[in-house]
Amino acid sequence: MSPHLTPPPRRALALTGPGLAFPASLVVLLVVLAPMLLLLLGSLRADATPGTDAASGYTLANYALFFTDPYYHRVLFDTLWVSAVCTLAALLLGFPVAYFLARTQSPRKSLFIVLLVFPLMVGGVVRAAGWMVILGNAGIVNAVLTGLGLSEAPVKLLYTPLAVILGTTGVVLPYLILALQSVLEGIDFSVEEAAQNLGANFFTTFWRVLLPMAAPGVAAGTVLVFILCMNAYATPVLLGGTGLTMMAPALYDQITKAANWGFGSALAWVLVTVTLAMAVLSNGFIHRRYRRTMGG
């Protein structure tokens, strides 16, 4: 070899996207997918009750019980409509706040964000207990209603679907605001001025210009919030009582109270499947509308 020639350097491992995502993907595989696979196998066991002999085979009896029992049809339907209402309420309440945080130039913006994040540091049980104080028969709302003469007797607000919707919306609202704010801050708001200069009013500008551009944030935020609502446990139990049963408390009762691990696992898989299906469908719908609007 000529002394003037040097061997090529060893090829370093490139930090590509897949390479960077591999550690996180491995963690997800170990801590999420592996337990979910075990849960699926447990839901298919012919005998998955603790304290009995090992399962003699696999069966779809647990899923057949769910799909043939009207009670669980009602539980799933209640879970879906409560989650949908909470997601819509969080979107209507959160979009103006996210818009304000994205546009404001106030030096107190950091303080506003801290105040927004602060409720996330409080557990769901504590927040549900606060709603119990507000909505109880001797709570603040009933005290105001009776004090103003709007009601002669306390109104039943606690242990109703309304209480669950209020409590769950309060829990997920900060998540939606943060998701929307991150997208709205990337929008050039001069397009609003351009639309208004061309004769568009406020509502037309919002519907035809701002909302389509914010569609990715709306999709991400609503999917995140919907998933959280579908899997809520503490708030429906503490605020709904026996007046409303959702899927997460139902499967918890099957596992902890009835010791029916097989059926509880089947309920968990139905909940996961329905949640992911609804999230994918809604996300796809929003993105199709986004591409159609931006393409037109």
Side-chain angles (χ1 to χ4, degrees), residues 21-282:
F22 177 75
S25 302
L26 182 61
V27 172
V28 171
L29 180 65
L30 294 177
V31 305
V32 177
L33 294 184
M36 291 302 298
L37 179 60
L38 294 176
L39 192 67
L40 176 61
L41 295 177
S43 69
L44 296 173
R45 286 176 55 184
D47 184 4
T49 302
T52 60
D53 295 333
S56 58
Y58 294 96
T59 179
L60 295 174
N62 291 320
Y63 293 95
L65 175 59
F66 172 83
F67 288 108
T68 56
D69 193 334
Y71 171 76
Y72 291 103
H73 298 170
R74 183 67 185 179
V75 171
L76 179 59
F77 175 77
D78 288 343
T79 304
L80 286 170
W81 80 261
V82 168
S83 300
V85 171
C86 292
T87 302
L88 180 60
L91 180 61
L92 294 177
L93 295 174
F95 200 100
V97 179
Y99 182 81
F100 166 76
L101 291 175
R103 294 209 61 174
T104 184
Q105 301 296 326
S106 172
R108 297 186 178 87
K109 180 177 180 177
S110 299
L111 176 61
F112 295 152
I113 296 178
V114 170
L115 293 176
L116 175 64
V117 177
F118 182 76
L120 301 179
M121 304 178 186
V122 181
V125 175
V126 177
R127 281 181 280 183
W131 280 106
M132 294 175 69
V133 174
I134 295 174
L135 300 176
N137 290 339
I140 299 174
V141 175
N142 274 305
V144 172
L145 292 177
T146 55
L148 297 176
L150 300 177
S151 176
E152 297 181 358
V155 179
K156 181 176 176 56
L157 298 173
L158 197 59
Y159 307 127
T160 62
L162 176 61
V164 176
I165 291 173
L166 290 175
T168 306
T169 302
V171 170
V172 301
L173 185 58
Y175 295 101
L176 185 60
I177 294 175
L178 292 174
L180 286 174
Q181 181 210 351
S182 62
V183 174
L184 290 175
E185 284 185 338
I187 296 176
D188 185 1
F189 289 105
S190 62
V191 295
E192 293 183 75
E193 299 177 0
Q196 292 171 1
N197 289 336
L198 293 174
N201 57 30
F202 173 80
F203 294 102
T204 302
T205 302
F206 172 79
W207 186 255
R208 300 294 298 273
V209 177
L210 181 61
L211 188 59
M213 297 180 68
V218 173
T222 53
V223 167
L224 172 63
V225 165
F226 183 78
I227 292 174
L228 292 174
C229 294
M230 286 287 290
N231 294 273
Y233 173 76
T235 303
V237 169
L238 295 177
L239 300 182
T242 58
L244 178 68
T245 303
M246 296 178 65
M247 286 291 291
L251 70 90
Y252 178 83
D253 290 342
Q254 286 295 323
I255 293 177
T256 60
K257 296 182 180 179
N260 192 344
W261 288 70
F263 187 57
S265 300
L267 289 179
W269 258 98
V270 170
L271 176 60
V272 170
T273 304
V274 173
T275 301
L276 290 179
M278 296 298 295
V280 170
L281 289 175
S282 61

